[in-house]
Amino acid sequence: MKKNIIPFLLFFLATFSFAQNKSRYLENVEKKENKVTIIVNDGEYHITYFTPKIVQTTFIPKGQDFKEQSHAVVLNPEKIKLIAQSSTNRTTIISDGIGIDITHKPFQISYSDKNNNFITSEKKGYFKSKHIPLETVKGNIVAQQTEKIEFNLTNDEVLYGAGARALGMNRRGNRLALFNRAHYGYETHAELMNFTMPIVISSKKYMLHFDNAPVGYLDLDSKKDNSLTYETISGRKTYQVIIGDTWQELIENYTNLTGKQPLPPRWVLGNFSSRFGYHSQKETEETVAKFKQENIPVDAVILDLYWFGKDIQGTMGNLEVYKDSFPDMKGMISRLKEKGVKTVLITEPFILTNSKKWKEAIDNDVLAKDSVGKPAKYDFYFGNTGIVDIYKKKGKNWFWNIYKDILNLGVKGLWGDLGEPEVHPTWVQHARGSANQVHNIYGHDWARLIFEGYQKEFANERPFILMRAGYSGSQRFGMIPWSGDVSRTWGGLQSQPEIALQMGMQGLGYMHSDLGGFAGANLNDNLYVRWLQYGVFQPIYRPHAQEDVASEPVFRSQFAKKHAKKAIELRYKMLPYNYNLAFQNNQKGTPLMRPIFFEEENDKLMENSETYLWGKDFLVTPILEDSVKTKAIYFPKTANWFNFYVDEKIVGGQTKNVTVKQNAIPTYVRGGALILMVDVFQTTENYNAKKLELHYYFDASVKESEREFYNDDGLTPNAFEKEQYEILEFEAETSRKWLEIDFEARFGVNWKPSTKEITLVVHNVNWKPKTIYVDGIKLKIKVENNRLKIPVKWNPKKELEIKIKRK
């Protein structure tokens, strides 16, 4: 094919002067639609624009082929107008978003935004290391030659990403293994955990995603030479540069590229009863009955490995009901369902050689192999085992048929544990490659297996898939990740906001922790209470622990039970607000938990994880230490903030010492916010979207505010796309004489609206209203404790206007 050489034109693009690859030089450039091909002396660069703000670059060394398959990318490239201009030693590609500057000799690629502001650049680009050994990670990564891609950094960049770690928000200065591995009993520092990801996010609002699965490293300037390096044992030399004008847009662009999280069923936002573990049917049903007796809301019970065996060791892989302990599993699940409680069962990908399924697994040829083609067998804590090869069609189908049997029992959620995989020797061979080539994406593809099985055979259900390991893009399979076996200590609690915030920025909006902590026999009621209070404002409310100390509030002291119950009740009251956060995450990838610098871009806030936003309107500061009496909190200058519990107003833009009380963690609401809530109920089966509370936090400085709240039946998959939804819209306008609050709604064509009873609660009413009109009808209502409560009956097919005369 004849190559279309771009004519050389005089064009200059201001860039930073960095070191360049002295041995690489350009031979040719061609542009076709949204793609650019660059021929250099040692290979080819293939550059593809997915959108103006998402660019993919692949280097293909001479003698190698491009591997098309990506574990992460689902977006199809758009048709984009690109302008190419060249001078003697420079070619530039201009778009409405990312621009590319190519220096011909010595060769270098630089990226900028449409205003020519520098984003990043390849420092040496792709190169092979001189047999620099990788540190051994639990014996699984051995010294060998590696491939690297190196970038320049500026001095002032704060770096986030690399998956779930406990390092502090700024991860610059670390060399971090990309190798999913459990860290039992971690506290404030954990360089390597269950869920690593090949992602780097800069405080300059760009993201680098290294689109490759095999194990490796991310070096975030550990040598302090302003360099960022991705290192791997093999695979694609592909990365995407993603930018956004705001943090929310950056994450939206990334999740457009790698997929959005499906909206979970509403019950998933309720309280779970969970421990390691319930030994019998009797114990399970008695525990749920205890929640009912104590009048503590609960929506699900999770059964750990005792459902398929009496002992921890020697039974893994049975994956069928152990009838000695659970004689009527189907009946139990049905009875629990009648009480509004769903059942979730644990599974693992390991089939022990002495398990009931071992012979079946051998006969069906579903296990990964050793170097000579025999089923791979090795020892770990639970026994001598093999691992299901989910990359083999036989293995995938066999595993799914087991899940189908489980789901046909009436189970409503699946827990995939140990999916790093926890023990995965390098010599194990899968149909797609060696252990090191698939290790990081095993959990990712395991979730895919379950998700696609649901789509095919349980298409009317929204899946709940609880897993602790995956990789970039795992959110699109509905994965609900948790932060592993955290220590049941204050140190364990202290790392949790950071982990959840970081993972939310990387597309996994439902990262959460075992509330109360998992590892250790530490009976500390104050720690337990503070952890469960934090849990109200994190994505999944699931106390879980080793059974030495009860994880369920119903078995704790009166002190712990009282405060835990209050926290759980608040969680349920907030369900309309929280469900809307889940919808926003589904539509735009927006995290439920958001770093404080999303609100105010201040250098001093870029490393702050102690205070964060829950959605748009709640400012939350968990109590992460014992016996805290006061807490210094920074209140962003973008708003005034009201104490959620007592309505005290704090002017934004200041750090203030606030008094900490035992019954709640410091929680503040944005002035002008409209918050939709509901009365407490025992399970989400009793949720009633026809009877709601709308809280308006009056702030005279906020002249207009508007909020929307999404609602559907909480069960139907893709209800929004099927037009089976309603969106309630509330708008407040303040003038010198009047406060006006308007109710509107819009619906999907397949939704049947119904009349709603809404109690409007106006906070911070420090005046005596002269007149109140609801749809033109005059009411007489007194202000009590600076709050005005107005009962409203509303047909959402019609707009409704509430007017309160201030003067």
Side-chain angles (χ1 to χ4, degrees), residues 65 147 178 210 243 247 255 317 386 419 552 560 562 571 585 612-613 658 705 781 791:
D65 296 323
E147 299 177 314
L178 293 170
F210 297 95
I243 64 170
W247 287 106
T255 51
E552 307 92 340
K562 178 182 74 172
R571 176 75 176 190
N585 175 263
Y612 62 88
L613 291 158
V658 303
S705 62
I781 301 173

mmCIF file with all atom_site columns, all heavy atoms in Angstrom, residues 65 147 178 210 243 247 255 317 386 419 552 560 562 571 585 612-613 658 705 781 791:
data_model
loop_
_atom_site.group_PDB
_atom_site.id
_atom_site.type_symbol
_atom_site.label_atom_id
_atom_site.label_alt_id
_atom_site.label_comp_id
_atom_site.label_asym_id
_atom_site.label_entity_id
_atom_site.label_seq_id
_atom_site.pdbx_PDB_ins_code
_atom_site.Cartn_x
_atom_site.Cartn_y
_atom_site.Cartn_z
_atom_site.occupancy
_atom_site.B_iso_or_equiv
_atom_site.pdbx_formal_charge
_atom_site.auth_seq_id
_atom_site.auth_comp_id
_atom_site.auth_asym_id
_atom_site.auth_atom_id
_atom_site.pdbx_PDB_model_num
ATOM 1   N N   . ASP A 1 65  ? 3.835   -9.099  16.571 1.00 0.00 ? 65  ASP A N   1
ATOM 2   C CA  . ASP A 1 65  ? 2.502   -8.785  16.082 1.00 0.00 ? 65  ASP A CA  1
ATOM 3   C C   . ASP A 1 65  ? 1.714   -8.079  17.170 1.00 0.00 ? 65  ASP A C   1
ATOM 4   O O   . ASP A 1 65  ? 1.973   -8.256  18.366 1.00 0.00 ? 65  ASP A O   1
ATOM 5   C CB  . ASP A 1 65  ? 1.767   -10.069 15.679 1.00 0.00 ? 65  ASP A CB  1
ATOM 6   C CG  . ASP A 1 65  ? 2.443   -10.777 14.508 1.00 0.00 ? 65  ASP A CG  1
ATOM 7   O OD1 . ASP A 1 65  ? 2.943   -10.072 13.613 1.00 0.00 ? 65  ASP A OD1 1
ATOM 8   O OD2 . ASP A 1 65  ? 2.477   -12.029 14.523 1.00 0.00 ? 65  ASP A OD2 1
ATOM 9   N N   . GLU A 1 147 ? 9.916   -5.776  29.966 1.00 0.00 ? 147 GLU A N   1
ATOM 10  C CA  . GLU A 1 147 ? 9.659   -4.692  29.010 1.00 0.00 ? 147 GLU A CA  1
ATOM 11  C C   . GLU A 1 147 ? 9.105   -3.508  29.787 1.00 0.00 ? 147 GLU A C   1
ATOM 12  O O   . GLU A 1 147 ? 8.314   -3.674  30.711 1.00 0.00 ? 147 GLU A O   1
ATOM 13  C CB  . GLU A 1 147 ? 8.671   -5.155  27.946 1.00 0.00 ? 147 GLU A CB  1
ATOM 14  C CG  . GLU A 1 147 ? 9.183   -6.339  27.135 1.00 0.00 ? 147 GLU A CG  1
ATOM 15  C CD  . GLU A 1 147 ? 8.172   -6.839  26.129 1.00 0.00 ? 147 GLU A CD  1
ATOM 16  O OE1 . GLU A 1 147 ? 6.991   -6.999  26.494 1.00 0.00 ? 147 GLU A OE1 1
ATOM 17  O OE2 . GLU A 1 147 ? 8.564   -7.058  24.967 1.00 0.00 ? 147 GLU A OE2 1
ATOM 18  N N   . LEU A 1 178 ? 2.379   -5.134  40.403 1.00 0.00 ? 178 LEU A N   1
ATOM 19  C CA  . LEU A 1 178 ? 1.073   -5.437  39.831 1.00 0.00 ? 178 LEU A CA  1
ATOM 20  C C   . LEU A 1 178 ? 0.918   -6.956  39.894 1.00 0.00 ? 178 LEU A C   1
ATOM 21  O O   . LEU A 1 178 ? 1.239   -7.690  38.957 1.00 0.00 ? 178 LEU A O   1
ATOM 22  C CB  . LEU A 1 178 ? 0.982   -4.921  38.391 1.00 0.00 ? 178 LEU A CB  1
ATOM 23  C CG  . LEU A 1 178 ? 1.012   -3.402  38.244 1.00 0.00 ? 178 LEU A CG  1
ATOM 24  C CD1 . LEU A 1 178 ? 1.160   -2.995  36.788 1.00 0.00 ? 178 LEU A CD1 1
ATOM 25  C CD2 . LEU A 1 178 ? -0.240  -2.767  38.857 1.00 0.00 ? 178 LEU A CD2 1
ATOM 26  N N   . PHE A 1 210 ? -2.477  1.300   31.533 1.00 0.00 ? 210 PHE A N   1
ATOM 27  C CA  . PHE A 1 210 ? -1.615  0.377   30.800 1.00 0.00 ? 210 PHE A CA  1
ATOM 28  C C   . PHE A 1 210 ? -2.431  -0.887  30.518 1.00 0.00 ? 210 PHE A C   1
ATOM 29  O O   . PHE A 1 210 ? -2.728  -1.667  31.423 1.00 0.00 ? 210 PHE A O   1
ATOM 30  C CB  . PHE A 1 210 ? -0.349  0.093   31.603 1.00 0.00 ? 210 PHE A CB  1
ATOM 31  C CG  . PHE A 1 210 ? 0.476   1.335   31.797 1.00 0.00 ? 210 PHE A CG  1
ATOM 32  C CD1 . PHE A 1 210 ? 0.356   2.091   32.947 1.00 0.00 ? 210 PHE A CD1 1
ATOM 33  C CD2 . PHE A 1 210 ? 1.324   1.776   30.802 1.00 0.00 ? 210 PHE A CD2 1
ATOM 34  C CE1 . PHE A 1 210 ? 1.088   3.252   33.127 1.00 0.00 ? 210 PHE A CE1 1
ATOM 35  C CE2 . PHE A 1 210 ? 2.066   2.939   30.954 1.00 0.00 ? 210 PHE A CE2 1
ATOM 36  C CZ  . PHE A 1 210 ? 1.949   3.680   32.121 1.00 0.00 ? 210 PHE A CZ  1
ATOM 37  N N   . ILE A 1 243 ? -8.082  12.256  29.610 1.00 0.00 ? 243 ILE A N   1
ATOM 38  C CA  . ILE A 1 243 ? -8.125  13.539  30.309 1.00 0.00 ? 243 ILE A CA  1
ATOM 39  C C   . ILE A 1 243 ? -9.567  13.921  30.605 1.00 0.00 ? 243 ILE A C   1
ATOM 40  O O   . ILE A 1 243 ? -10.507 13.334  30.072 1.00 0.00 ? 243 ILE A O   1
ATOM 41  C CB  . ILE A 1 243 ? -7.444  14.674  29.487 1.00 0.00 ? 243 ILE A CB  1
ATOM 42  C CG1 . ILE A 1 243 ? -8.197  14.938  28.180 1.00 0.00 ? 243 ILE A CG1 1
ATOM 43  C CG2 . ILE A 1 243 ? -5.986  14.335  29.223 1.00 0.00 ? 243 ILE A CG2 1
ATOM 44  C CD1 . ILE A 1 243 ? -7.717  16.191  27.450 1.00 0.00 ? 243 ILE A CD1 1
ATOM 45  N N   . TRP A 1 247 ? -12.723 16.303  37.671 1.00 0.00 ? 247 TRP A N   1
ATOM 46  C CA  . TRP A 1 247 ? -12.462 14.951  38.151 1.00 0.00 ? 247 TRP A CA  1
ATOM 47  C C   . TRP A 1 247 ? -13.582 14.004  37.748 1.00 0.00 ? 247 TRP A C   1
ATOM 48  O O   . TRP A 1 247 ? -13.338 12.859  37.349 1.00 0.00 ? 247 TRP A O   1
ATOM 49  C CB  . TRP A 1 247 ? -12.298 14.953  39.669 1.00 0.00 ? 247 TRP A CB  1
ATOM 50  C CG  . TRP A 1 247 ? -11.001 15.558  40.118 1.00 0.00 ? 247 TRP A CG  1
ATOM 51  C CD1 . TRP A 1 247 ? -10.815 16.780  40.694 1.00 0.00 ? 247 TRP A CD1 1
ATOM 52  C CD2 . TRP A 1 247 ? -9.706  14.964  40.004 1.00 0.00 ? 247 TRP A CD2 1
ATOM 53  N NE1 . TRP A 1 247 ? -9.486  16.986  40.949 1.00 0.00 ? 247 TRP A NE1 1
ATOM 54  C CE2 . TRP A 1 247 ? -8.774  15.888  40.541 1.00 0.00 ? 247 TRP A CE2 1
ATOM 55  C CE3 . TRP A 1 247 ? -9.240  13.751  39.514 1.00 0.00 ? 247 TRP A CE3 1
ATOM 56  C CZ2 . TRP A 1 247 ? -7.414  15.628  40.605 1.00 0.00 ? 247 TRP A CZ2 1
ATOM 57  C CZ3 . TRP A 1 247 ? -7.881  13.485  39.571 1.00 0.00 ? 247 TRP A CZ3 1
ATOM 58  C CH2 . TRP A 1 247 ? -6.979  14.406  40.110 1.00 0.00 ? 247 TRP A CH2 1
ATOM 59  N N   . THR A 1 255 ? -14.491 5.299   32.531 1.00 0.00 ? 255 THR A N   1
ATOM 60  C CA  . THR A 1 255 ? -15.506 4.240   32.584 1.00 0.00 ? 255 THR A CA  1
ATOM 61  C C   . THR A 1 255 ? -16.280 4.139   31.271 1.00 0.00 ? 255 THR A C   1
ATOM 62  O O   . THR A 1 255 ? -16.889 3.098   30.998 1.00 0.00 ? 255 THR A O   1
ATOM 63  C CB  . THR A 1 255 ? -16.456 4.440   33.777 1.00 0.00 ? 255 THR A CB  1
ATOM 64  O OG1 . THR A 1 255 ? -16.972 5.779   33.774 1.00 0.00 ? 255 THR A OG1 1
ATOM 65  C CG2 . THR A 1 255 ? -15.741 4.176   35.091 1.00 0.00 ? 255 THR A CG2 1
ATOM 66  N N   . GLY A 1 317 ? -14.107 -26.904 47.452 1.00 0.00 ? 317 GLY A N   1
ATOM 67  C CA  . GLY A 1 317 ? -14.314 -27.529 46.160 1.00 0.00 ? 317 GLY A CA  1
ATOM 68  C C   . GLY A 1 317 ? -15.520 -28.441 46.122 1.00 0.00 ? 317 GLY A C   1
ATOM 69  O O   . GLY A 1 317 ? -15.955 -28.871 45.050 1.00 0.00 ? 317 GLY A O   1
ATOM 70  N N   . GLY A 1 386 ? -6.327  -28.202 42.950 1.00 0.00 ? 386 GLY A N   1
ATOM 71  C CA  . GLY A 1 386 ? -6.198  -27.727 41.584 1.00 0.00 ? 386 GLY A CA  1
ATOM 72  C C   . GLY A 1 386 ? -7.044  -26.477 41.452 1.00 0.00 ? 386 GLY A C   1
ATOM 73  O O   . GLY A 1 386 ? -7.775  -26.107 42.376 1.00 0.00 ? 386 GLY A O   1
ATOM 74  N N   . GLY A 1 419 ? -9.875  -15.091 44.856 1.00 0.00 ? 419 GLY A N   1
ATOM 75  C CA  . GLY A 1 419 ? -9.746  -14.994 43.406 1.00 0.00 ? 419 GLY A CA  1
ATOM 76  C C   . GLY A 1 419 ? -8.553  -14.226 42.901 1.00 0.00 ? 419 GLY A C   1
ATOM 77  O O   . GLY A 1 419 ? -8.525  -13.850 41.727 1.00 0.00 ? 419 GLY A O   1
ATOM 78  N N   . GLU A 1 552 ? -21.902 -9.357  64.170 1.00 0.00 ? 552 GLU A N   1
ATOM 79  C CA  . GLU A 1 552 ? -23.276 -8.862  64.122 1.00 0.00 ? 552 GLU A CA  1
ATOM 80  C C   . GLU A 1 552 ? -23.586 -8.023  65.364 1.00 0.00 ? 552 GLU A C   1
ATOM 81  O O   . GLU A 1 552 ? -23.286 -8.440  66.486 1.00 0.00 ? 552 GLU A O   1
ATOM 82  C CB  . GLU A 1 552 ? -24.269 -10.033 64.056 1.00 0.00 ? 552 GLU A CB  1
ATOM 83  C CG  . GLU A 1 552 ? -23.988 -11.027 62.953 1.00 0.00 ? 552 GLU A CG  1
ATOM 84  C CD  . GLU A 1 552 ? -23.101 -12.174 63.403 1.00 0.00 ? 552 GLU A CD  1
ATOM 85  O OE1 . GLU A 1 552 ? -22.404 -12.016 64.444 1.00 0.00 ? 552 GLU A OE1 1
ATOM 86  O OE2 . GLU A 1 552 ? -23.104 -13.212 62.734 1.00 0.00 ? 552 GLU A OE2 1
ATOM 87  N N   . ALA A 1 560 ? -22.600 -1.230  72.262 1.00 0.00 ? 560 ALA A N   1
ATOM 88  C CA  . ALA A 1 560 ? -22.325 -1.387  70.829 1.00 0.00 ? 560 ALA A CA  1
ATOM 89  C C   . ALA A 1 560 ? -23.619 -1.571  70.047 1.00 0.00 ? 560 ALA A C   1
ATOM 90  O O   . ALA A 1 560 ? -23.793 -1.003  68.965 1.00 0.00 ? 560 ALA A O   1
ATOM 91  C CB  . ALA A 1 560 ? -21.389 -2.570  70.606 1.00 0.00 ? 560 ALA A CB  1
ATOM 92  N N   . LYS A 1 562 ? -26.650 -0.537  70.754 1.00 0.00 ? 562 LYS A N   1
ATOM 93  C CA  . LYS A 1 562 ? -27.429 0.707   70.675 1.00 0.00 ? 562 LYS A CA  1
ATOM 94  C C   . LYS A 1 562 ? -26.913 1.622   69.576 1.00 0.00 ? 562 LYS A C   1
ATOM 95  O O   . LYS A 1 562 ? -27.678 2.127   68.746 1.00 0.00 ? 562 LYS A O   1
ATOM 96  C CB  . LYS A 1 562 ? -27.382 1.430   72.029 1.00 0.00 ? 562 LYS A CB  1
ATOM 97  C CG  . LYS A 1 562 ? -28.119 2.762   72.033 1.00 0.00 ? 562 LYS A CG  1
ATOM 98  C CD  . LYS A 1 562 ? -28.003 3.464   73.382 1.00 0.00 ? 562 LYS A CD  1
ATOM 99  C CE  . LYS A 1 562 ? -26.613 4.061   73.577 1.00 0.00 ? 562 LYS A CE  1
ATOM 100 N NZ  . LYS A 1 562 ? -26.531 4.913   74.787 1.00 0.00 ? 562 LYS A NZ  1
ATOM 101 N N   . ARG A 1 571 ? -28.616 4.412   57.861 1.00 0.00 ? 571 ARG A N   1
ATOM 102 C CA  . ARG A 1 571 ? -28.323 3.860   56.543 1.00 0.00 ? 571 ARG A CA  1
ATOM 103 C C   . ARG A 1 571 ? -29.613 3.607   55.761 1.00 0.00 ? 571 ARG A C   1
ATOM 104 O O   . ARG A 1 571 ? -29.706 3.898   54.564 1.00 0.00 ? 571 ARG A O   1
ATOM 105 C CB  . ARG A 1 571 ? -27.532 2.558   56.706 1.00 0.00 ? 571 ARG A CB  1
ATOM 106 C CG  . ARG A 1 571 ? -27.238 1.820   55.419 1.00 0.00 ? 571 ARG A CG  1
ATOM 107 C CD  . ARG A 1 571 ? -26.140 2.484   54.623 1.00 0.00 ? 571 ARG A CD  1
ATOM 108 N NE  . ARG A 1 571 ? -25.814 1.688   53.438 1.00 0.00 ? 571 ARG A NE  1
ATOM 109 C CZ  . ARG A 1 571 ? -24.778 1.911   52.657 1.00 0.00 ? 571 ARG A CZ  1
ATOM 110 N NH1 . ARG A 1 571 ? -23.946 2.895   52.915 1.00 0.00 ? 571 ARG A NH1 1
ATOM 111 N NH2 . ARG A 1 571 ? -24.548 1.157   51.605 1.00 0.00 ? 571 ARG A NH2 1
ATOM 112 N N   . ASN A 1 585 ? -23.501 6.523   39.558 1.00 0.00 ? 585 ASN A N   1
ATOM 113 C CA  . ASN A 1 585 ? -22.348 5.688   39.261 1.00 0.00 ? 585 ASN A CA  1
ATOM 114 C C   . ASN A 1 585 ? -22.603 4.850   38.014 1.00 0.00 ? 585 ASN A C   1
ATOM 115 O O   . ASN A 1 585 ? -21.719 4.695   37.159 1.00 0.00 ? 585 ASN A O   1
ATOM 116 C CB  . ASN A 1 585 ? -22.043 4.791   40.456 1.00 0.00 ? 585 ASN A CB  1
ATOM 117 C CG  . ASN A 1 585 ? -20.926 3.813   40.176 1.00 0.00 ? 585 ASN A CG  1
ATOM 118 O OD1 . ASN A 1 585 ? -21.167 2.662   39.838 1.00 0.00 ? 585 ASN A OD1 1
ATOM 119 N ND2 . ASN A 1 585 ? -19.693 4.265   40.300 1.00 0.00 ? 585 ASN A ND2 1
ATOM 120 N N   . TYR A 1 612 ? -14.132 13.382  53.419 1.00 0.00 ? 612 TYR A N   1
ATOM 121 C CA  . TYR A 1 612 ? -14.489 13.116  52.027 1.00 0.00 ? 612 TYR A CA  1
ATOM 122 C C   . TYR A 1 612 ? -15.956 13.453  51.819 1.00 0.00 ? 612 TYR A C   1
ATOM 123 O O   . TYR A 1 612 ? -16.704 13.755  52.761 1.00 0.00 ? 612 TYR A O   1
ATOM 124 C CB  . TYR A 1 612 ? -14.208 11.657  51.661 1.00 0.00 ? 612 TYR A CB  1
ATOM 125 C CG  . TYR A 1 612 ? -15.010 10.653  52.468 1.00 0.00 ? 612 TYR A CG  1
ATOM 126 C CD1 . TYR A 1 612 ? -16.274 10.242  52.065 1.00 0.00 ? 612 TYR A CD1 1
ATOM 127 C CD2 . TYR A 1 612 ? -14.505 10.119  53.655 1.00 0.00 ? 612 TYR A CD2 1
ATOM 128 C CE1 . TYR A 1 612 ? -17.021 9.335   52.808 1.00 0.00 ? 612 TYR A CE1 1
ATOM 129 C CE2 . TYR A 1 612 ? -15.236 9.208   54.397 1.00 0.00 ? 612 TYR A CE2 1
ATOM 130 C CZ  . TYR A 1 612 ? -16.504 8.821   53.969 1.00 0.00 ? 612 TYR A CZ  1
ATOM 131 O OH  . TYR A 1 612 ? -17.228 7.935   54.713 1.00 0.00 ? 612 TYR A OH  1
ATOM 132 N N   . LEU A 1 613 ? -16.392 13.394  50.572 1.00 0.00 ? 613 LEU A N   1
ATOM 133 C CA  . LEU A 1 613 ? -17.780 13.648  50.222 1.00 0.00 ? 613 LEU A CA  1
ATOM 134 C C   . LEU A 1 613 ? -18.499 12.328  49.996 1.00 0.00 ? 613 LEU A C   1
ATOM 135 O O   . LEU A 1 613 ? -17.975 11.436  49.320 1.00 0.00 ? 613 LEU A O   1
ATOM 136 C CB  . LEU A 1 613 ? -17.864 14.492  48.954 1.00 0.00 ? 613 LEU A CB  1
ATOM 137 C CG  . LEU A 1 613 ? -17.389 15.938  49.098 1.00 0.00 ? 613 LEU A CG  1
ATOM 138 C CD1 . LEU A 1 613 ? -17.000 16.501  47.757 1.00 0.00 ? 613 LEU A CD1 1
ATOM 139 C CD2 . LEU A 1 613 ? -18.468 16.788  49.731 1.00 0.00 ? 613 LEU A CD2 1
ATOM 140 N N   . VAL A 1 658 ? -14.201 20.697  65.870 1.00 0.00 ? 658 VAL A N   1
ATOM 141 C CA  . VAL A 1 658 ? -15.584 20.391  66.220 1.00 0.00 ? 658 VAL A CA  1
ATOM 142 C C   . VAL A 1 658 ? -15.600 19.348  67.329 1.00 0.00 ? 658 VAL A C   1
ATOM 143 O O   . VAL A 1 658 ? -14.701 18.504  67.434 1.00 0.00 ? 658 VAL A O   1
ATOM 144 C CB  . VAL A 1 658 ? -16.376 19.889  64.993 1.00 0.00 ? 658 VAL A CB  1
ATOM 145 C CG1 . VAL A 1 658 ? -16.340 20.906  63.875 1.00 0.00 ? 658 VAL A CG1 1
ATOM 146 C CG2 . VAL A 1 658 ? -15.869 18.543  64.513 1.00 0.00 ? 658 VAL A CG2 1
ATOM 147 N N   . SER A 1 705 ? -31.074 26.166  43.889 1.00 0.00 ? 705 SER A N   1
ATOM 148 C CA  . SER A 1 705 ? -30.475 24.830  43.930 1.00 0.00 ? 705 SER A CA  1
ATOM 149 C C   . SER A 1 705 ? -31.480 23.841  43.376 1.00 0.00 ? 705 SER A C   1
ATOM 150 O O   . SER A 1 705 ? -32.697 24.036  43.476 1.00 0.00 ? 705 SER A O   1
ATOM 151 C CB  . SER A 1 705 ? -30.053 24.445  45.346 1.00 0.00 ? 705 SER A CB  1
ATOM 152 O OG  . SER A 1 705 ? -31.161 24.388  46.210 1.00 0.00 ? 705 SER A OG  1
ATOM 153 N N   . ILE A 1 781 ? -48.380 26.653  59.883 1.00 0.00 ? 781 ILE A N   1
ATOM 154 C CA  . ILE A 1 781 ? -47.452 25.685  60.474 1.00 0.00 ? 781 ILE A CA  1
ATOM 155 C C   . ILE A 1 781 ? -46.416 26.446  61.278 1.00 0.00 ? 781 ILE A C   1
ATOM 156 O O   . ILE A 1 781 ? -45.857 27.440  60.796 1.00 0.00 ? 781 ILE A O   1
ATOM 157 C CB  . ILE A 1 781 ? -46.773 24.832  59.397 1.00 0.00 ? 781 ILE A CB  1
ATOM 158 C CG1 . ILE A 1 781 ? -47.817 24.078  58.579 1.00 0.00 ? 781 ILE A CG1 1
ATOM 159 C CG2 . ILE A 1 781 ? -45.787 23.846  60.018 1.00 0.00 ? 781 ILE A CG2 1
ATOM 160 C CD1 . ILE A 1 781 ? -47.254 23.343  57.392 1.00 0.00 ? 781 ILE A CD1 1
ATOM 161 N N   . PRO A 1 791 ? -46.383 18.972  55.466 1.00 0.00 ? 791 PRO A N   1
ATOM 162 C CA  . PRO A 1 791 ? -46.883 17.750  54.821 1.00 0.00 ? 791 PRO A CA  1
ATOM 163 C C   . PRO A 1 791 ? -47.434 18.064  53.436 1.00 0.00 ? 791 PRO A C   1
ATOM 164 O O   . PRO A 1 791 ? -48.180 19.035  53.250 1.00 0.00 ? 791 PRO A O   1
ATOM 165 C CB  . PRO A 1 791 ? -47.976 17.276  55.770 1.00 0.00 ? 791 PRO A CB  1
ATOM 166 C CG  . PRO A 1 791 ? -48.453 18.521  56.454 1.00 0.00 ? 791 PRO A CG  1
ATOM 167 C CD  . PRO A 1 791 ? -47.289 19.453  56.537 1.00 0.00 ? 791 PRO A CD  1
#
